[in-house]
Amino acid sequence: AQSVTQLDSQVPVFEEAPVELRCNYSSSVSVYLFWYVQYPNQGLQLLLKYLSGSTLVESINGFEAEFNKSQTSFHLRKPSVHISDTAEYFCAVSHGNQGGKLIFGQGTELSVKP
Amino acid sequence: NAGVMQNPRHLVRRRGQEARLRCSPMKGHSHVYWYRQLPEEGLKFMVYLQKENIIDESGMPKERFSAEFPKEGPSILRIQQVVRGDSAAYFCASSPPNSGPPTFGSGTRLTVV
């Protein structure tokens, strides 16, 4: 069975500091990997995805994640965070043939302080 | 493209009443998924539907919960005889056939009093 573990429930960080949100998964088959962001009282927005190809994927707002098959990880990083990055971040996996059926981690609350 | 539309945004029900949550998928999307987010938890898959068919309901509670996606109209998640433990945010997502991750709606926040 698939599972996703986000190792940190809360990550406080100062503005302009780097941040890493950790995600590990377990699966016996190939997976697709995603990061979603949820701002307060809103739905989830897709931040970035790994389907195949290059193991390093980037978003338009400076986040990046690297798929590491040997460590079964998909950690999310940003070299310099902004106050507006304060949100909850969810890592998720799916099997290719299961489309939108996602298994989510527990979420990591990123709090950026001035 | 209006995105995935869910209504109502907030719903308050007394214990024992019925809750009906609606979801209109994005234009061109024929696959609908429902997820539940309990307080302090991540999202849990509930059910996957295509038009007039339930494809996967492995995450649905065995009693009181049902879902449909009729040929015409929105997808409906129905919770009968609600209890306090049903209080949660319910998210709908949709996707086109065989294509990438789903797009989520803004959710319906159900409060049972």
Side-chain angles (χ1 to χ4, degrees):
Chain A
Q2 294 172 297
S3 67
V4 178
T5 302
Q6 290 182 243
L7 296 164
D8 306 294
S9 60
Q10 294 180 321
V11 174
V13 64
F14 287 105
E15 194 174 18
E16 298 184 7
V19 71
E20 178 180 81
L21 307 183
R22 295 179 292 170
C23 173
N24 287 89
Y25 69 92
S26 66
S27 176
S28 57
V29 298
S30 296
V31 296
Y32 295 166
L33 294 153
F34 311 96
W35 276 98
Y36 282 85
V37 58
Q38 184 180 30
Y39 297 102
N41 296 316
Q42 294 187 26
L44 279 76
Q45 301 173 29
L46 181 65
L47 189 60
L48 44 75
K49 61 186 177 185
Y50 171 77
L51 303 180
S52 64
S54 173
T55 57
L56 184 65
V57 291
E58 298 176 352
S59 72
I60 58 173
N61 57 354
F63 283 95
E64 64 178 32
E66 185 163 18
F67 169 55
N68 188 320
K69 189 174 181 180
S70 62
Q71 297 186 4
T72 60
S73 68
F74 191 55
H75 301 331
L76 181 69
R77 301 183 182 95
K78 189 170 185 179
S80 176
V81 295
H82 301 287
I83 298 285
S84 59
D85 293 324
T86 295
E88 187 138 24
Y89 292 79
F90 292 96
C91 182
V93 302
S94 76
H95 288 162
N97 64 353
Q98 293 185 351
K101 181 181 178 181
L102 304 176
I103 308 299
F104 282 91
Q106 296 291 86
T108 296
E109 187 180 332
L110 175 64
S111 176
V112 181
K113 304 179 186 305
Chain B
N1 195 333
V4 179
M5 303 301 294
Q6 289 189 250
N7 67 83
R9 288 295 303 273
H10 300 275
L11 181 62
V12 179
R13 284 289 177 265
R14 295 187 184 277
R15 280 179 293 171
Q17 290 184 320
E18 179 179 284
R20 280 182 178 243
L21 289 63
R22 295 175 183 76
C23 169
S24 295
M26 286 183 69
K27 187 176 181 180
H29 287 191
S30 56
H31 296 207
V32 166
Y33 309 83
W34 285 94
Y35 288 81
R36 177 166 65 174
Q37 184 178 31
L38 292 166
E40 308 302 324
E41 293 186 19
L43 284 84
K44 304 292 185 187
F45 167 80
M46 299 180 76
V47 63
Y48 163 31
L49 308 106
Q50 296 178 18
K51 286 283 187 182
E52 299 184 283
N53 283 305
I54 297 174
I55 307 302
D56 182 343
E57 56 181 349
S58 57
M60 286 281 271
K62 294 289 183 267
E63 298 177 345
R64 302 188 296 109
F65 285 71
S66 62
E68 63 177 9
F69 188 17
K71 187 176 181 181
E72 301 290 338
S75 175
I76 305 288
L77 179 68
R78 182 182 178 204
I79 311 172
Q80 294 179 289
Q81 299 177 315
V82 295
V83 301
R84 289 228 170 105
D86 296 332
S87 295
Y90 292 82
F91 290 95
C92 172
S94 71
S95 69
N98 302 317
S99 178
T103 301
F104 282 79
S106 296
T108 293
R109 281 153 182 82
L110 172 66
T111 302
V112 179
V113 298

